[in-house]
Amino acid sequence: MSFDIFDERYYLATNPDVANAVQAGFFSSGLQHFQLFGITEGRVSVSPLYNEGLYLQANPDVANAVATGSLRSGLQHYILYGETESRFGLLGLYNEQAYLQRYPDVANAVQSGIFSSGFQHLVQFGFEEGRFAALFNEQYYLQKYPDVANAVQTGIFSSGAQHFLQFGLTEGRSGGTLFNEGFYLRRYPDVANAVAAGIFSSGLAHFAQSGQTENRSGTAFNEQVYLALYSDVANAVKARIFSSGLDHYLQFGQFEDFRSPLFSGSKGNDIIAASSSDFGLNDDFVNSVMGVQVSRITATVESLQNLALGSFGVGEVDTLVGGDAADEFYLGFGGQFYGTPTAFYVGAGSTDFALIKNFDLNEDFIVLAGSEDQYTRQVVDGNLTISNTAGDLIGVVEGVVSLSIIGPSVLPGTFLLG
């Protein structure tokens, strides 16, 4: 039995009758009340890190036991058995297996009996040590939100993470991680539907519980393509050397000039930023940037030819931001496996297009589908506009007044503008 999940201040704040009883001297603490009475009374408001509804949804056997009266609550199960069984808690954001994989020192400490679980370590030390950094950055959060920092300083919250889980996530605050809630829900409609149905509390909750292991990405970085292009990384992820392709990219890939990641968007309006690491080895390193959705990759490939697109930019206004390495901005697609070359952002006139920022004339280029005679280029307010011959705006290159045809790209049916 473990009471690691119990938060004294939270319990007293959410159970005012208990707080009054403690103040009157009937109990020495909220924990004493909970251990003697609260747990059998079915009280479940013990911590912002626990959500009864989510726990029962994630564990149908526990839900059945509660329904038949074998258990008073899912929380009772979590305290008696769930934590040691690595059941999910922490408002759906904590994953025991992932935590132990990410931190081998904690896994060793659990194995040697120093901690009963990775969660016990997280509660006692992990938050202060920044171990929740895979989904949350404490220092960033407190710096970004002074109101939260003040609340932590005055003791209203024990940490920024407590505020984030209790309020910040639903308030749309950023946890300082490479995760974008709105982007994730747009990219994965099945997750958005599950959140709307109450199966998950948020896209972040889904990502923590299962999305990352499904090779989903909460950022413009396209996890599936990266793993398909680089089998050595995929093998390293399978061997648990890295938690994901993004994990590898952040640690090593962005500094290896032969890696070329894809940053892709969703079916809605996106801001897609390419890698901005200034490593000085960009002879072969190329960022591929697409504002449209890449829904899946159908096979392991040597290039970006074998992609399935989930959108074509119709009705979207995407902002594509170049990085320090060479960038290729896709305003159309083709290829041996894709079929007919198709221009993006065609169908809504001048209301859908890609705005390209930070374009480097020395090394960046634009990929267009079809042939040169299908497009017109014009300077408007100091920016180069690219439209098809029917006058449908496709792209705007900010701060650029002239680009020339470079020639065919590696994708059949497309050419380069740079």
Side-chain angles (χ1 to χ4, degrees), residues 30-109:
L31 179 59
Q32 184 188 44
H33 173 276
F34 181 73
Q35 291 172 328
L36 292 175
F37 301 102
I39 190 171
T40 56
E41 290 173 355
R43 302 202 189 215
V44 296
S45 296
V46 298
S47 168
L49 306 184
Y50 179 81
N51 183 287
E52 177 76 6
L54 288 177
Y55 190 75
L56 295 179
Q57 287 174 10
N59 301 282
D61 58 325
V62 179
N64 291 334
V66 172
T68 58
S70 301
L71 290 170
R72 190 67 179 84
S73 66
L75 178 62
Q76 184 182 35
H77 176 274
Y78 184 78
I79 289 173
L80 291 172
Y81 315 106
E83 183 180 334
T84 56
E85 293 174 358
S86 300
R87 305 269 189 151
F88 110 19
L90 198 64
L91 201 59
L93 300 181
Y94 177 76
N95 185 304
E96 176 77 8
Q97 183 181 10
Y99 190 74
L100 296 180
Q101 287 177 4
R102 188 174 185 85
Y103 303 114
D105 59 321
V106 179
N108 292 335

Side-chain angles (χ1 to χ4, degrees), residues 261-311:
L262 170 66
F263 298 86
S264 59
S266 70
K267 293 182 179 180
N269 300 336
D270 299 309
I271 299 176
I272 308 299
S275 171
S276 294
S277 295
D278 189 7
F279 41 80
L281 295 174
N282 44 14
D283 292 334
D284 299 315
F285 191 109
V286 177
N287 293 314
S288 297
V289 188
M290 287 187 186
V292 302
Q293 182 184 55
V294 177
S295 58
R296 59 188 168 87
I297 186 165
T298 57
T300 300
V301 295
E302 296 301 325
S303 70
L304 295 179
Q305 294 192 46
N306 199 7
L307 299 179
L309 301 180
S311 71

